[in-house]
Amino acid sequence: MPLKKRYAMSTDHTPSDDKALKANTPTAHDEAPMGDVDAERRAFLINTTAAFGVAGAACVAVPFLRSLAPSRATQAMATTDVALSEIPEGEFRTFLWQGKPVFIWHRNAEQIAKARAQDATSTTDPQPDAERVKNDTWLVVLGICSHLGCVPMQGGDADGWRCPCHGSQFDLSGRVVHGPAGKNLEVPPYAFLDDNTIRIG
Amino acid sequence: MSSHFTPPQPVENDIRNFGRWFEDRLPIASFIGDHLGKYPTPRNLNYMWNFGSLAGIALILQIITGLFLAMHYKGDIHLAFDSVQTIMRDIEWGWVIRNMHMVGASFFFIVVYIHIGRGLYFGSYKSPREVLWGLGIVIFLLMMATAFMGYVLPWGQMSYWGATVITNLLSVIPFVGPDIVIWLWGGYSVGDPTLSRFYAIHFVLPFVIVGVVILHIWALHLHKSNNPLGIDLKKADDYIPFHPYYTIKDIFGLGVYLIPFTFMVFFAPDYLGHPDNYIPANPLVTPAHIVPEWYFLPFYAILRAIPIKELGVLAMFGSILILFVLPWLDRSPVRSARFRPLYKQLFWLFVVNFLILGWVGAKPAEGMYVTIAQICTALYFGFFALLPVLAKVEKPRPLPATL
Amino acid sequence: MIRMMMVGLALLAPAAWAGEGAALPHKDWGFEGVRATWDKDELYRGYTVATQVCMACHSFKYVSHRDLMRVGFTESEVQTLAKALNMDMNAKLKTGMDDATAKETFGKVPPDLSLMNRARPGGADYTYALMHGYSDDSATIVKYLPGGVPQGAYFNTYYPGHAIAMANPLSGPGLVTYHDGKEATVDQMAHDVSVFMQWTAEPERMDRQAWGVYVLIYLFIFTVLAYLTKRVIWKDVKKH
């Protein structure tokens, strides 16, 4: 028995059956012939139900996707307070903020002067040192290489940092002086709570 | 539906023909079309036939909610209980996902119990659908294992003591029983290794279930669905295509199902659970009333009805395993209970008896409750024992030749 | 309709939990019902009782001061409350008593209270009744405990077994001073702390109840639409 015949609504298979079958299996794309009230009503109901159902399903996806966002506990821990007295003059220390390393450099007068002078050499992503600090003494940058996310080490030709992964170099203001990185080390949002405390985030 | 050989028709490799070109190489669209769209379905199915697809949807919902819970849950005895509280409090919408999973497990069982009951009433287990029926029982057993291990994961008092009691059932195995239990625990009591392995198995079993469901549907589509009359349908117009007729009927059924489901998720999430499971597991103190989840209660009642431990365990497992041989116990050539006056009454007695077993399973095992459980256990197995005799004494009503 | 369904569920409730404690009287709580909200003043009073009485021995380890911001407290209010207890606003509400001292004093570590209203049948009704269940009346005690109260325990009508290790925490009126000047009677304190513990047990409750209504309305419309569509599609199928 031809397979198609089993789906047919009548026992005798005549050419008209194909048409009858088609009429009996409406789809959402059914076009209602003008004046056919039944078909119009059917198409309207099918489309409304489908649209309503799809909209509902889309709304259900929202809580599932939102559940993957940082939790309330993570959000509550989104800031880090740093006591600046921990950092000896002329050196930097690394702190953890939102799971990422932050370098805070306690610059001495000589290093500040040098960073200012390096304004001239930071040509890849030019930005004056004055715009990158809130207080000349304290440089706060994310310890994440703007190339592929490694943590740079102290060193390099510009007395700042060099990245162990691909050799990018940064100066005393965290600006890139040698590729492959194309951007300076990012300055995170931070504020001085008092003379001795910085809140990052 | 690959019974017709179609010679390959070369399709020009052109982006405009991508659909036909792909179909020529992997005919997945026509496979889905044949099995979901054009699958010939008896046109006289009643609403009892909605529960198969509902069970499928319940399974998929459990897998999705479970996947998202697994992204936050910690399978370590020191972290498990707290991680559930993190899901409830700190994860955005975590409570809705957990409530859906919790309530979803119960609703999955409700749907499957009705699905099994429908099969029993309309004789869907009879030839040529014995394997289809057997695969269904396998799914039911896998579901029970999955649900049991899932209930251990929150690591509350009921989790811990449920795990202890149920795993101890295996100690009745002669000679090696106690060693098997220790091996199963990975220690000398239920503990961290137990929780870790239960988590791993709880995660993977649903996918095994999906595999058996595919076999279940394969077996179904080979001989087509049974129908309320239980007769073999021979005429072409006895069948209608699954889509759109049964897709829309199933969608309507889904809407009806989701209303009580949603009500429980949002207004009574703890109703089917036990308050004790909000107390962290304590190996030193057993809760005063230890009761399994409601869907295990009838079998739990059978276990406790028999005062000899080994026999009780055998009876409990036997009460499910006996379903495998049901197609050979019931010798009547007539499928549907509509035409079997005696079987119909017996079926309803069986259902009521099963509900009483569930009720008595929640009661303490003492006094009158033990007696009730024993009578009901006898009736449970009596149903199966009567079936071969029934075929000889019962006079079926005349069957219609067609729909 | 929802109320009716609730009543239906209550009637079906498994009797397995009718334990050894006396039957709990039901109180009409403000947090019940689809339009309920957490009452900030009520919670504030409950917080006062919880931190000044309960937290002498018990912890609320799943709750921090910051969580109060989810029920209408402002950040500065929360900061002030936390500072008054010498706590960080992100720190969990833990008792000052360490486990070793607790064990020495009470024989066991008093249980954490965050989830208590979910971990006991009856929830807030249980907590409220327990606070009223203490009695010195020998006739009452003999009725429930013919053998007398065991050494080191206290009689409580509603505690399963009637002998509780905790002395009456709300021993008399005026244990705390409320922020809103309300009189701190024993009944008022019992009520407020029960509501507070309901909040610590299920802070998501209001979200749950509010969203549930919308989802049910949606599903009801969807189901009606699906039914109508089913009817038009099935119209041409011969009835058997």
Side-chain angles (χ1 to χ4, degrees):
Chain A
M1 191 197 297
L3 206 57
K4 208 171 199 173
K5 194 173 169 193
R6 302 190 68 175
Y7 307 142
M9 299 295 296
S10 76
T11 38
D12 309 309
H13 187 76
T14 61
S16 68
D17 270 2
D18 286 338
K19 257 185 238 155
L21 177 65
K22 207 175 169 218
N24 284 330
T25 51
T27 68
H29 310 293
D30 255 11
E31 278 178 33
M34 290 293 279
D36 185 344
V37 178
D38 244 24
E40 269 174 17
R41 180 178 140 82
R42 186 166 67 187
F44 173 77
L45 271 172
I46 291 171
N47 292 333
T48 312
T49 309
F52 205 69
V54 169
C59 290
V60 173
V62 173
F64 283 86
L65 298 178
R66 292 292 304 163
S67 76
L68 301 181
S71 74
R72 286 190 185 86
T74 311
Q75 286 170 24
M77 300 299 160
T79 59
T80 302
D81 290 353
V82 175
L84 296 173
S85 52
E86 286 176 34
I87 312 166
E89 194 175 9
E91 294 179 25
F92 77 91
R93 290 284 180 274
T94 311
F95 302 90
L96 202 64
W97 167 66
Q98 295 185 345
K100 297 173 283 195
V102 172
F103 297 149
I104 301 184
W105 196 320
H106 188 172
R107 302 190 295 190
N108 56 32
E110 191 192 329
Q111 288 163 333
I112 295 168
K114 181 142 194 209
R116 288 286 144 92
Q118 284 173 332
D119 282 359
T121 52
S122 72
T123 48
T124 313
D125 183 11
Q127 191 184 23
D129 181 65
E131 278 179 24
R132 293 177 55 78
V133 291
K134 291 190 177 170
N135 176 328
D136 289 346
T137 316
W138 304 100
L139 172 71
V140 183
V141 289
L142 273 189
I144 297 176
C145 179
S146 56
H147 179 220
L148 289 171
C150 297
V151 180
M153 309 152 69
Q154 189 166 21
D157 301 335
D159 297 334
W161 292 273
R162 66 175 291 278
C163 181
C165 293
H166 306 97
S168 299
Q169 298 198 10
F170 302 91
D171 66 13
L172 271 166
S173 190
R175 290 167 297 198
V176 61
V177 289
H178 188 279
K183 293 248 182 257
N184 301 335
L185 294 183
E186 196 184 324
V187 179
Y190 66 93
F192 286 89
L193 294 188
D194 54 52
D195 285 348
N196 188 37
T197 319
I198 280 186
R199 170 166 293 174
I200 312 168
Chain B
M1 242 149 282
S2 51
S3 52
H4 299 274
F5 176 74
T6 23
Q9 311 210 330
V11 179
E12 200 185 330
N13 194 349
D14 184 321
I15 191 73
R16 283 166 298 180
N17 290 335
F18 179 75
R20 274 170 58 210
W21 174 89
F22 190 88
E23 196 63 13
D24 187 50
R25 278 143 187 84
L26 183 70
I28 192 159
S30 56
F31 179 83
I32 293 171
D34 286 347
H35 281 276
L36 271 176
K38 293 187 235 152
Y39 169 62
T41 319
R43 67 177 160 83
N44 63 334
L45 299 187
N46 60 30
Y47 276 103
M48 287 295 109
W49 265 262
N50 274 57
F51 288 90
S53 68
L54 271 184
I57 292 167
L59 172 63
I60 291 166
L61 269 179
Q62 286 306 92
I63 289 179
I64 294 172
T65 50
L67 175 68
F68 278 80
L69 288 178
M71 293 179 192
H72 301 291
Y73 172 77
K74 308 257 189 300
D76 176 310
I77 58 166
H78 302 293
L79 304 173
F81 192 89
D82 287 353
S83 73
V84 173
Q85 285 310 310
T86 300
I87 291 170
M88 294 300 283
R89 291 157 194 271
D90 286 342
I91 307 298
E92 269 191 80
W93 294 101
W95 57 269
V96 97
I97 300 174
R98 172 164 179 255
N99 288 358
M100 280 173 80
H101 199 69
M102 233 161 55
V103 174
S106 280
F107 271 62
F108 194 7
F109 273 96
I110 294 175
V111 166
V112 164
Y113 274 126
I114 298 176
H115 187 60
I116 294 173
R118 189 270 288 153
L120 272 178
Y121 186 85
F122 294 105
S124 300
Y125 49 85
K126 291 189 186 181
S127 172
R129 298 186 184 85
E130 302 94 323
V131 172
L132 170 62
W133 170 261
L135 288 167
I137 306 301
V138 171
I139 294 171
F140 182 53
L141 285 169
L142 287 170
M143 270 176 72
M144 292 175 104
T146 312
F148 160 64
M149 290 187 209
Y151 196 60
V152 177
L153 303 187
W155 208 243
Q157 272 290 67
M158 279 294 173
S159 302
Y160 182 87
W161 291 100
T164 301
V165 169
I166 302 296
T167 48
N168 264 319
L169 290 180
L170 296 178
S171 67
V172 302
I173 299 171
F175 309 116
V176 291
D179 290 330
I180 284 187
V181 173
I182 288 170
W183 170 77
L184 202 68
W185 288 338
Y188 300 102
S189 63
V190 173
D192 196 51
T194 327
L195 180 63
S196 300
R197 64 190 60 177
F198 277 19
Y199 182 31
I201 299 170
H202 178 74
F203 197 101
V204 82
L205 273 189
F207 298 96
V208 179
I209 295 179
V210 168
V212 185
V213 165
I214 289 171
L215 299 181
H216 191 64
I217 295 174
W218 185 2
L220 173 76
H221 284 205
L222 198 63
H223 289 287
K224 311 286 176 278
S225 308
N226 184 27
N227 65 80
L229 298 181
I231 55 173
D232 289 322
L233 302 180
K234 296 185 188 77
K235 290 199 327 237
D237 74 344
D238 291 341
Y239 290 98
I240 49 178
F242 192 85
H243 181 75
Y245 297 106
Y246 285 102
T247 32
I248 186 62
K249 196 176 177 184
D250 283 345
I251 287 170
F252 167 57
L254 176 66
V256 174
Y257 164 80
L258 285 178
I259 289 172
F261 173 76
T262 304
F263 179 82
M264 298 288 286
V265 166
F266 287 94
F267 295 103
D270 289 335
Y271 177 71
L272 292 167
H274 298 296
D276 282 88
N277 224 25
Y278 284 105
I279 305 170
N282 180 357
L284 302 178
V285 183
T286 309
H289 303 278
I290 166 154
V291 189
E293 288 289 84
W294 70 266
Y295 36 79
F296 293 136
L297 288 176
F299 305 104
Y300 189 60
I302 292 176
L303 169 77
R304 296 190 310 179
I306 297 169
I308 302 158
K309 183 180 172 186
E310 287 79 2
L311 280 183
V313 175
L314 274 181
M316 185 185 70
F317 285 115
S319 65
I320 300 168
L321 296 180
I322 199 167
L323 292 169
F324 279 113
V325 292
L326 175 66
W328 294 276
L329 290 177
D330 183 358
R331 302 290 183 85
S332 170
V334 178
R335 291 201 189 97
S336 174
R338 283 191 186 175
F339 306 104
R340 301 185 60 191
L342 287 179
Y343 177 77
K344 193 182 199 171
Q345 288 173 25
L346 210 58
F347 169 84
W348 287 114
L349 275 176
F350 181 76
V351 171
V352 170
N353 183 57
F354 192 70
L355 293 176
I356 297 174
L357 273 173
W359 167 77
V360 83
K363 298 287 175 194
E366 53 199 31
M368 156 187 93
Y369 297 124
V370 179
T371 320
I372 296 175
Q374 286 169 347
I375 295 169
C376 291
T377 303
L379 289 175
Y380 183 94
F381 287 102
F383 170 78
F384 293 98
L386 261 179
L387 285 178
V389 190
L390 194 71
K392 289 190 182 125
V393 287
E394 189 178 48
K395 287 221 169 22
R397 305 215 325 260
L399 287 176
T402 68
L403 289 187
Chain C
M1 185 181 81
I2 281 159
R3 183 158 280 255
M4 274 170 60
M5 286 169 89
M6 283 289 203
V7 170
L9 282 182
L11 290 175
L12 288 169
W17 294 111
E20 302 93 336
L24 300 171
H26 179 69
K27 205 171 189 296
D28 274 327
W29 298 101
F31 52 75
E32 285 172 340
V34 295
R35 276 195 293 270
T37 50
W38 295 115
D39 180 336
K40 186 184 157 187
D41 282 325
E42 209 171 49
L43 281 180
Y44 196 157
R45 294 195 300 267
Y47 162 89
T48 309
V49 178
T51 49
Q52 293 182 23
V53 181
C54 313
M55 266 173 64
C57 310
H58 295 275
S59 293
F60 291 85
K61 68 173 177 180
Y62 295 116
V63 181
S64 67
H65 278 92
R66 178 185 286 276
D67 293 330
L68 287 169
M69 285 165 63
R70 290 170 67 188
V71 290
F73 285 74
T74 63
E75 178 156 3
S76 66
E77 280 176 326
V78 169
Q79 288 280 18
T80 314
L81 289 175
K83 216 160 251 167
L85 294 177
N86 225 350
M87 288 173 92
D88 184 87
M89 68 179 275
N90 290 320
K92 301 296 180 191
L93 298 179
K94 290 221 172 113
T95 169
M97 185 182 282
D98 62 281
D99 288 0
T101 316
K103 234 174 190 155
E104 209 168 285
T105 320
F106 307 113
K108 65 172 192 171
V109 182
D112 187 86
L113 294 184
S114 323
L115 277 167
M116 199 50 90
N117 274 20
R118 269 189 134 158
R120 295 287 179 276
D125 282 335
Y126 170 78
T127 304
Y128 179 74
L130 193 77
M131 293 299 107
H132 284 293
Y134 287 92
S135 173
D136 295 328
D137 178 40
S138 52
T140 317
I141 296 176
V142 168
K143 187 178 141 205
Y144 289 104
L145 286 177
V149 184
Q151 188 66 36
Y154 302 87
F155 173 81
N156 191 306
T157 318
Y158 297 104
Y159 187 72
H162 306 292
I164 186 169
M166 173 173 70
N168 187 356
L170 304 178
S171 49
L175 279 182
V176 298
T177 313
Y178 281 139
H179 70 285
D180 54 2
K182 212 165 189 134
E183 199 191 336
T185 61
V186 170
D187 184 65
Q188 187 66 42
M189 291 189 288
H191 173 90
D192 293 337
V193 83
S194 302
V195 173
F196 180 76
M197 282 169 64
Q198 192 68 28
W199 172 70
T200 63
E202 42 175 12
E204 81 284 4
R205 186 179 180 114
M206 295 313 154
D207 293 344
R208 204 155 55 70
Q209 293 175 162
W211 276 101
V213 178
Y214 296 117
V215 181
L216 280 175
I217 291 172
Y218 167 84
L219 279 173
F220 188 73
I221 299 172
F222 174 75
T223 307
V224 170
L225 275 175
Y227 177 69
L228 294 175
T229 311
K230 191 246 159 196
R231 273 212 349 211
V232 294
I233 287 180
W234 275 73
K235 210 172 170 191
D236 49 17
V237 177
K238 272 187 276 177
K239 286 273 166 278
H240 51 279

